[in-house]
Amino acid sequence: MMKNISIIILAAGNGTRMKSPKSKVLHTLSGRSMIAHVVEKSLQISDDITVVLGYQFDEVSSEINREFNNINIVAQDTINFPGTAGAVMAAKPKFDKTLIICADMPLVATSELISLTQSNSDITIAAFESKDPFGYGRVVKNGDQVIKIVEQKDANEDEKAINLCNAGAYCFNTALLNSVLPQINNQNASNEYYLTDAIELALKAGKSVSSVLVNEQNFMGINDKLALSKAENIMQEQIKANLMKNGVIIRLPQTVFIDSRAKFEGECEIESGCVIKGDCLIKNSIIKSSSVIEYSTVIDSDIGPMAHLRPKSHIVSTHIGNFVELKNANLNSVKAGHLSYLGDCQIDSGTNVGCGTITCNYDGKNKHKTIIGKNVFIGSDTQLIAPLNIADDTLIAAGSSVTHDSQKGDLIIARAKQNNKSGFFYKFFGKKDEK
């Protein structure tokens, strides 16, 4: 971590092009909000981070505080000082250099942000070379020195031909930043205070301004849901490439979604069509095709195909088969082969869960827990009506609706007595002519 760098993250905009009632920076990719991705990368550089908010201040600040500690959160005076410079005015950086980045660039690479801070110039601009620079602000240079940044709408024909574009990230000498901010005015078509005006003011004061080349893709700004989708595809490719390089087998990776918070250890395999969502831990396990794992732990187990582990499930040395759903379930050395729902339960080693078994955990008002001991054999189509405690070495007959606890070694039979009425088929339907 670099102790002499302050970071300001600009996150005050409305993001109207998202066409959503939700703040742009709260939209997620690979499981986390844009703002969370940017703050996470900033924390690798500095411990003095200020996020400047405006639109939906309470909602965005709650998201930041939910994930992080010790982040400075301030509000921009968008009425009197709109624009990027107005946002920076709200922050109070405490170190010699100040790095300014936008919250809608979740793909930004930490290494490139660091390269911005290592320049000896008074101001360093992140810039990229684009084959299609239309719409971007152009970085105009004289040799190694930046002369100005000109927006597309203000550029002349020569300037429009420049393919060096402003990436929207800057590193300032903090004393210089504090001196030029009060000089910036809003005498422009948008009546906003632009941070890019600081470049011209710094040059007039004889200060040095340079640029650092960065990857255009990494500094991709997300302004609508199409861009959000493109950015998520890029991030997913990065996540899965990193996992595969570190030993995870992923079948048809383009069909798999893996949350940025998920962790994998040991020998793991993910088959096609799977979704790994939230801060899961998968260790020495195989997740078979079209299964969904949410906020759960899977160790030394096989899951699926077409299984669903809902949040707070903890699965160890267990076989979960097709069409099995778990929620808040703790299973240790268990077999649940198919077509079952196991919610709010604890099941111990050696237990076999028959096809169609259901833990009836909800009474319409509250959730209740089912505890199942060791070496329990649960027959098919069993309903376990919680709260319930099934002791070790219990045998439950198929088709039972279990409402009472068992003692060790019990056989539970809880079903209506079968009654065969002779000849009733013919009485009901009549006899069919034999041919």
Side-chain angles (χ1 to χ4, degrees):
M1 184 178 293
M2 306 172 68
K3 294 295 185 180
N4 63 335
I5 302 294
S6 294
I7 298 179
I8 301 173
I9 301 173
L10 308 183
N14 290 18
T16 54
R17 282 180 282 176
M18 273 290 184
K19 301 189 186 306
S20 171
K22 182 165 63 175
S23 169
K24 175 171 71 170
V25 299
L26 292 182
H27 283 82
T28 62
L29 65 168
S30 297
R32 300 181 82 187
S33 64
M34 285 191 229
I35 187 71
H37 283 293
V38 176
V39 171
E40 178 72 29
K41 292 172 183 178
S42 298
L43 283 168
Q44 297 174 34
I45 302 172
S46 172
D47 58 4
D48 180 37
I49 297 171
T50 300
V51 181
V52 183
L53 303 181
Y55 182 65
Q56 292 192 349
F57 180 93
D58 292 340
E59 292 84 349
V60 180
S61 58
S62 293
E63 168 69 7
I64 296 168
N65 289 327
R66 184 179 66 82
E67 289 221 35
F68 305 101
N69 298 316
N70 302 320
I71 303 298
N72 306 313
I73 300 174
V74 298
Q76 178 180 357
D77 182 355
T78 53
I79 301 299
N80 296 307
F81 297 100
T84 50
V88 176
M89 291 174 189
K92 304 294 182 186
K94 66 182 183 181
F95 290 127
D96 294 339
K97 287 188 175 183
T98 300
L99 180 64
I100 301 171
I101 57 178
C102 297
D104 65 352
M105 299 189 301
L107 298 176
V108 66
T110 303
S111 59
E112 291 183 312
L113 294 180
I114 291 173
S115 71
L116 270 174
T117 69
Q118 293 175 334
S119 168
N120 292 322
S121 299
D122 295 303
I123 303 175
T124 307
I125 301 164
F128 57 83
E129 294 177 342
S130 177
K131 293 180 180 179
D132 181 17
F134 182 84
Y136 290 114
R138 307 303 203 279
V139 178
V140 184
K141 297 180 71 173
N142 182 6
D144 292 333
Q145 286 293 301
V146 174
I147 299 173
K148 64 177 177 177
I149 297 175
V150 58
E151 298 302 321
Q152 171 79 30
K153 62 180 181 294
D154 300 320
N156 60 38
E157 291 306 312
D158 289 339
E159 291 166 341
K160 288 178 182 177
I162 295 171
N163 69 346
L164 188 64
C165 303
N166 180 19
Y170 314 88
C171 186
F172 281 81
N173 174 290
T174 302
L176 172 63
L177 178 65
N178 290 335
S179 69
V180 298
L181 279 176
Q183 301 176 51
I184 296 174
N185 61 55
N186 63 342
Q187 304 304 307
N188 53 60
S190 301
N191 294 319
E192 293 188 358
Y193 294 82
Y194 290 131
L195 186 60
T196 49
D197 288 351
I199 308 300
E200 183 178 355
L201 291 167
L203 289 168
K204 286 180 178 178
K207 303 299 182 180
S208 59
V209 181
S210 63
S211 64
V212 169
L213 275 178
V214 296
N215 185 305
E216 179 179 359
Q217 178 177 278
N218 293 345
F219 283 77
M220 171 184 176
I222 297 176
N223 293 311
D224 56 34
K225 288 168 181 169
L226 175 60
L228 182 68
S229 174
K230 290 179 179 177
E232 183 159 68
N233 280 332
I234 293 166
M235 185 176 286
Q236 280 295 299
E237 288 180 2
Q238 294 171 346
I239 289 169
K240 288 177 280 192
N242 183 60
L243 289 173
M244 289 186 283
K245 288 176 181 177
N246 284 281
V248 177
I249 297 171
I250 304 179
R251 307 291 184 187
L252 297 179
Q254 68 273 22
T255 70
V256 172
F257 176 90
I258 298 180
D259 197 292
S260 59
R261 296 164 290 182
K263 293 180 174 59
F264 293 80
E265 297 179 8
E267 187 77 8
C268 297
E269 181 174 345
I270 311 298
E271 292 186 353
S272 63
C274 290
V275 173
I276 312 296
K277 185 177 180 181
D279 53 347
C280 295
L281 170 62
I282 313 293
K283 182 176 180 179
N284 295 322
S285 297
I286 177 171
I287 313 300
K288 296 180 182 178
S289 62
S290 302
S291 295
V292 178
I293 315 294
E294 301 180 87
Y295 298 91
S296 294
T297 297
V298 179
I299 300 173
D300 299 325
S301 300
D302 64 287
I303 308 295
M306 293 174 285
H308 186 184
L309 271 58
R310 290 167 56 195
K312 298 182 180 179
S313 293
H314 189 93
I315 312 303
V316 178
S317 302
T318 288
H319 164 65
I320 300 296
N322 53 314
F323 302 107
V324 175
E325 179 182 357
L326 282 72
K327 189 269 292 184
N328 191 25
N330 192 323
L331 275 61
N332 178 26
S333 301
V334 174
K335 293 180 181 178
H338 33 244
L339 297 165
S340 297
Y341 170 68
L342 306 172
D344 297 301
C345 62
Q346 178 179 318
I347 308 178
D348 215 334
S349 60
T351 291
N352 184 86
V353 179
C355 176
T357 296
I358 300 171
T359 57
C360 304
N361 56 327
Y362 184 50
D363 64 7
K365 290 184 179 180
N366 300 301
K367 299 290 180 68
H368 300 281
K369 190 166 185 177
T370 299
I371 299 175
I372 300 172
K374 297 178 180 178
N375 304 316
V376 174
F377 185 90
I378 303 172
S380 298
D381 194 29
T382 293
Q383 298 88 51
L384 301 164
I385 301 172
L388 194 65
N389 195 322
I390 303 299
D392 297 350
D393 304 334
T394 296
L395 173 61
I396 303 176
S400 293
S401 293
V402 183
T403 57
H404 296 93
D405 295 352
S406 74
Q407 300 297 314
K408 187 174 182 179
D410 281 355
L411 165 65
I412 298 174
I413 305 176
R415 61 192 184 206
K417 183 179 178 180
Q418 184 171 319
N419 188 347
N420 293 8
K421 294 186 178 294
S422 178
F424 186 83
F425 178 92
Y426 303 110
K427 181 178 179 180
F428 189 79
F429 290 109
K431 282 195 174 184
K432 296 182 179 180
D433 293 335
E434 294 183 2
K435 295 181 180 179

